[in-house]
Amino acid sequence: MHRDANIDGLKFLLIFLVVLGHINEPNYSALPTRLIYSFHMPVFIFLSGYLTSVHTDLKKLLMWTLKLGCIYLLAGTSLNLLSWATDRPVSTAQWLLLKPQFAMWYLLALIYWRWAIYLLHDNISTERIFAGSICLALLIGFIPASIDTGLLAIHRTITFLPCFTLGYWFRHEQRFVNVLSKIPPPYSYQQL
């Protein structure tokens, strides 16, 4: 599969904005920071869904899951050790990697989302997968914050599931691809 310069350009722009947002994070109430935080994760997740292939066989998906799982274990353990070394408290759930820190939740979410698409795409239409993801996200919103423990990032994963399934739908429905391909990308890294 060849790389798409438009996708690469958009990812570059998003990463730049994330870094900019984190630099200004102590002043979270600042309008630029709030603006960046309002869309950067939904767009990243949309792109993850957009780049998800349904033509992956089980063996490839298992290998991909194993690789991402190893990255999760290594990076999560490293973050915990760094927190411990700098005298930041680390809970037992964090040591067991049951409560992902920082962006680690995204790795688990990718595993959940891709497996869901793999298991559902042959039996359920893309439109129904998307509609179901919206229903799940709305339902999980009724769980009080006091009950959401962050366990295995389930709450956050379901909350962002519609962004992922919308990206998947856009990529795999040719009518969307045809419309999007006619829009000239002002954010392409080739123009920088």
Side-chain angles (χ1 to χ4, degrees):
M1 184 175 152
H2 72 284
R3 295 189 65 93
D4 185 337
N6 297 331
I7 297 290
D8 287 342
L10 182 56
K11 288 191 293 187
F12 171 81
L13 179 65
L14 287 170
I15 290 168
F16 175 78
L17 289 173
V18 168
V19 170
L20 190 64
H22 283 291
I23 289 171
N24 200 31
E25 196 169 81
N27 189 10
Y28 182 74
S29 61
L31 182 60
T33 305
R34 287 190 316 203
L35 184 62
I36 291 168
Y37 277 76
S38 71
F39 71 85
H40 81 283
M41 284 312 298
V43 176
F44 266 123
I45 295 164
F46 175 90
L47 285 175
S48 295
Y50 185 82
L51 296 172
T52 294
S53 173
V54 296
H55 305 295
T56 300
D57 63 2
L58 182 59
K59 185 177 177 181
K60 283 183 182 178
L61 186 59
L62 285 170
M63 289 305 296
W64 177 86
T65 302
L66 182 63
K67 287 178 190 176
L68 206 57
C70 286
I71 293 169
Y72 176 77
L73 292 173
L74 289 171
T77 301
S78 299
L79 281 171
N80 287 335
L81 288 171
L82 183 63
S83 293
W84 176 75
T86 57
D87 292 328
R88 296 170 84 192
V90 180
S91 70
T92 303
Q94 287 171 326
W95 277 114
L96 296 173
L97 301 175
L98 297 175
K99 287 181 76 173
Q101 295 186 66
F102 306 111
M104 299 304 299
W105 72 270
Y106 192 69
L107 297 177
L108 282 179
L110 276 175
I111 293 170
Y112 302 149
W113 294 326
R114 288 202 173 165
W115 272 97
I117 292 297
Y118 176 80
L119 294 171
L120 296 174
H121 84 273
D122 281 339
N123 302 317
I124 302 174
S125 71
T126 309
E127 293 90 346
R128 288 187 180 181
I129 291 172
F130 178 62
S133 73
I134 290 174
C135 292
L136 281 173
L138 290 171
L139 286 173
I140 200 118
F142 286 106
I143 296 177
S146 60
I147 294 175
D148 176 29
T149 62
L151 182 66
L152 296 174
I154 299 293
H155 193 278
R156 193 178 284 186
T157 299
I158 293 172
T159 299
F160 282 113
L161 181 60
C163 299
F164 185 85
T165 56
L166 184 64
Y168 166 76
W169 187 14
F170 264 62
R171 174 68 178 264
H172 300 285
E173 291 293 327
Q174 195 58 44
R175 64 178 181 255
F176 292 129
V177 175
N178 290 340
V179 170
L180 291 176
S181 66
K182 294 176 184 170
I183 301 172
Y187 45 78
S188 175
Y189 74 85
Q190 294 171 339
Q191 297 171 353
L192 294 177

